[in-house]
Amino acid sequence: MHRVLLQAAYVLHSRPYRESSQIVDLLTEADGKASAVMKGGGRRKGAPNTLQPFTELEIELGGRGELKSLIRCETTNLRYPLAGAALYAGLYLNELLLKLLQPLESSRDVFNAYKSSLTFLSLPQTNLEPGLRELEFTLLNELGFGVDFCVESATGDVVKSNIAYHFSLTEGVSRTPEPYSIVIEGRHLLAMAERDWSVPGSLAAAKKLTRRCLDELLGGRPLHSRELMRSYLKLTKG
């Protein structure tokens, strides 16, 4: 049996498997997204607490196929206490990774961005958007759609703050309209490149851009976490 040495991981999703086991979908430090069977996970003492989302684990995986065996699983002292809107934002990140990452393709950048986003979401604040954009941009880059927001993709011309540009997932930044392109102001593109959210309107523009790109990559598959967030916000505002 092929074994992967001890590594850090986070639970993205888990579900019952057979009589007393679970299949756990994980974001791992060395192997990217991995699915593993935890035998007896539904009944083992301490297991329900161990497999909580937003808690760093130390795991060891075994098996040669795509579905691994969870040989060892322990919690570390690192836990992100997400609550309220931040909890639903964290569930959104988990669902995004679960649906878009390919299994067993290592990405340290995505793993680190995920931790950075959870750290941001766990801070007391009212605006969670920067924490979401951090992972979304890293994920797009990992999937092969990273964009230099400072230059036009086709010409290499430097983006100017006072010009409105078109942006599409396949063509990047351009002055020419493309199918499914959206209009983004140059000053907002430059702010995205620097992650400078102090520029008025830059966060809203970044959300518009990542939403269009991610929805296209999802191919019409809904994100249930978005609906949960909408329901939560309606309740809190009502």
Side-chain angles (χ1 to χ4, degrees):
M1 177 181 288
H2 174 68
R3 296 179 70 160
V4 178
L5 298 178
L6 202 63
Q7 61 177 311
Y10 291 87
V11 172
L12 299 177
H13 183 258
S14 63
R15 55 199 183 277
Y17 180 67
R18 295 181 178 172
E19 290 187 3
S20 61
S21 299
Q22 293 186 59
I23 292 180
V24 189
D25 298 307
L26 301 153
L27 178 66
T28 73
E29 187 173 20
D31 295 312
K33 186 182 74 173
S35 298
V37 175
M38 185 173 187
K39 294 182 179 179
R43 296 178 183 176
R44 187 182 304 172
K45 183 179 178 181
N49 291 328
T50 301
L51 294 178
Q52 291 299 309
F54 318 124
T55 298
E56 187 173 85
L57 307 173
E58 285 189 342
I59 66 166
E60 186 177 353
L61 300 175
R64 294 186 179 278
E66 191 169 294
L67 183 60
K68 304 295 183 181
S69 295
L70 193 58
I71 296 170
R72 179 179 172 185
C73 179
E74 299 175 359
T75 59
T76 69
N77 293 324
L78 185 56
R79 183 177 182 275
Y80 300 92
L82 304 187
L87 173 61
Y88 293 105
L91 293 174
Y92 162 76
L93 296 181
N94 282 5
E95 188 175 10
L96 206 58
L97 295 175
L98 190 63
K99 289 187 173 179
L100 291 181
L101 282 180
Q102 294 299 310
L104 302 177
E105 290 189 3
S106 177
S107 174
R108 190 63 60 90
D109 287 343
V110 170
F111 186 84
N112 289 338
Y114 180 75
K115 289 185 65 172
S116 178
S117 292
L118 292 186
T119 299
F120 186 90
L121 294 178
S122 64
L123 298 174
Q125 60 197 306
T126 56
N127 193 348
L128 304 174
E129 298 294 328
L132 302 182
R133 303 294 87 79
E134 174 77 19
L135 183 63
E136 288 172 343
F137 280 128
T138 305
L139 180 58
L140 286 172
N141 188 66
E142 176 65 24
L143 296 173
F145 297 98
V147 174
D148 185 348
F149 295 114
C150 296
V151 299
E152 294 184 50
S153 302
T155 66
D157 292 342
V158 175
V159 167
K160 296 179 174 60
S161 62
N162 61 340
I163 294 178
Y165 292 87
H166 296 270
F167 179 88
S168 69
L169 182 65
T170 55
E171 300 300 326
V173 178
S174 172
R175 297 196 196 190
T176 305
E178 300 287 345
Y180 307 108
S181 66
I182 56 175
V183 177
I184 304 286
E185 292 183 32
R187 64 192 181 99
H188 292 151
L189 291 169
L190 295 173
M192 288 180 213
E194 298 295 329
R195 306 295 192 265
D196 181 7
W197 308 125
S198 65
V199 177
S202 59
L203 264 177
K207 182 176 182 178
K208 177 182 177 182
L209 185 150
T210 57
R211 174 69 65 91
R212 172 61 65 87
C213 292
L214 293 169
D215 283 350
E216 194 169 338
L217 291 172
L218 286 165
R221 290 176 292 171
L223 291 175
H224 302 295
S225 51
R226 282 181 182 167
E227 295 302 320
L228 290 174
M229 174 66 89
R230 290 191 190 103
S231 299
Y232 171 79
L233 293 176
K234 282 184 180 178
L235 287 173
T236 54
K237 290 178 180 179

